[in-house]
Amino acid sequence: MIIYIIVGVVAFVVGSVISYFIWDKALSKKLKKLTKDAENEGEVIKKQKELLAKEKFLQLKSEHEKFTNERNAKLNQAEQRIGQKEASLNQKHEEANKNRREIENLQNNLKIQLEKIEKKKEELEKLKRDHIEKLETVSGISSEDAKLQLIESLKAEAKTSAMAYINETMEEAKMTANKESKRIVIQTIQRAASEAAVENSVTVFHIESDEVKGRIIGREGRNIRALEAATGVEIIVDDTPESIVLSAFDPYRREVARLALHQLITDGRIHPARIEEVVDKVKKQVDEEIIETGKRTTIDLGIHGLHPELIRLVGKMKYRSSYGQNLLQHSRETANLCAIMASELGLNASIAKRAGLLHDIGKVSDENPELPHALLGMTIADRCKEKPEVCNAIGAHHDEIEMNNLISPIVQVCDAISGARPGARREVAESYVKRLKDLESMALSYPGVLKTYAIQAGRELRVIVGSEKINDKDAESLATDLARRIQEEMTYPGQIKVTVIRETRAVAMAK
C-alpha cells in the first residue's frame, strides 16, 4: 500500500515536472512571438510617425516659403515705390535747379534793365531841367511862380463854375420842391377821411319814466348832491320829459356819471353810500375800457409793440378834446396822414404812423403839468423805450426842441393839417374848457383840498376838503381866499360861486 502511494506520488511529481517543462517551452515560444509582434508593431508606428513628421516638416517648409515669398514681394514693391519717389524727387530737384537758374537769369536781366531805366531817368531829368531853365529864361518867371498862377486860375474858374451850378440846382430844387410838396400834401389830405368837430359839454341821459327823477334827487336832495360830489358832474333834473342832463366839460366825468346812473336805476337802490360804491366801481370799468380802446386803436392802425402805459394814454385820448376836436380822432387822423406822407417821400411809414399817434400823449398825462405837452409827451415816450425818431417827433411838433430827423417835420405838418382843416376845431370851446381846468387847478393848489369840480358851465366851483386837515373856520377862509384869487387872476363872464364842502363821517363795523 505504501509502495503504491510512493509510486503515485513519484508519478505525480514526475508528471508535474514534465508538464512544467512543456508549459515553460510553450510560454517561451509565446513570449518570443509576442515580442516579435510588438517589435513589428513598433516598426509600423515608427514609420507612421516618421511619415507624419515628414508631412508636418513639408507643410511648415511650404508655409515658410510662402511667407518668405510674400515678404520678398512686399519688399520688392516697397523698393519699387522708393525708387519711383527717388526718381520723382530727383526730377523735381532738377526742375527746381532749372527754375532757380531761370530766376537768377531774370534777376540779372531785370537788374540790367533797371540800370538802363535809371540812366534814362537821369537823362530825362537833365533834359527837363534844361527845358525848364529855357522856359524860365524866355518867360522871365520861375516854375514855382508859374505853377501857383496856374493853380489860382484853375481854382477861380472851378469856383465860378461850382457856384453857377449850385445856384441853378437850388433854383430848380425850389421850383420842383414847391410843386412836389403841394402835390404830396393835397394827395395826403384827399386820401385821409376826416370828421367835423362835434364835441360838446353835456350828455342827455334817457329814463323810462319821470318817476325815477324823484328817486335820483332823494330826500332833501341828498342823492343828487352825493352823485354830483362823487362824479364832479352837474346833474340837471328839469321838466324835460324822460331825460336828465349831465353837464361837465370833462367827457370822462360825464361817462362815469352816465354809467353810474344807469347801474343805480337798474339796481333800484339809490342812496349816498350806494352811489359812492357804484361810482368807484364804474371808474374802474371806464379805466379798463380806456385800456381796451387803446389796444383797439393800435390794432386798427397796425402799430405793434407799444408800451402798456402808452396804450393807456392812447385810450385816455377818447375822453379829451382839443379846441372841440376829439383828441383820439385827431391822433388817428394825424397817424394816417403821417403814414401816407412818409410813403410818398420814401420814408419809414410805420415809424411815422407811430409818432403821429403818440404826438399828443402829453395832453392826457397828469405828470409835470408845468411842462408843455410836447416835451412831456417826449419824456413819457423816452421812458417807455420808444425810438429816438419817435421821441424827437413828439417833442418837436410845436418847435420846443430842434428836429433831427425827417419824421419830425412830417408829424408837425400832419398835426397842422388835421387841426387846421375847416370844421376841425372850435376855439371857443377850447377856451371854455381851459378856463374850467384853470379853476380846478387853482383850487387843488391849496393844502387839504381832496377834489375840485367846476360845474354849471363854470359858474360854480365845488371844493371838497379833508375834515381832518381843515376845520370849519379854515373852510370859510379857503372859500373867501379862493374867490378873491379867482377874481384877481382870471377872466370870466358873470360870476363864479365857490362852495367848500367839509364832511365828517363816522364808520363802525358790526361783526
Side-chain angles (χ1 to χ4, degrees), residues 15-29:
S16 297
V17 170
I18 292 169
S19 299
Y20 172 77
F21 279 112
I22 294 169
W23 178 81
D24 182 55
K25 187 176 180 180
L27 182 62
S28 298
K29 188 176 181 179

Side-chain angles (χ1 to χ4, degrees), residues 453-470:
Y453 299 116
I455 60 176
Q456 293 185 8
R459 292 190 297 272
E460 181 178 353
L461 178 64
R462 291 188 180 179
V463 182
I464 301 174
V465 298
S467 59
E468 68 280 359
K469 296 181 180 180
I470 295 179

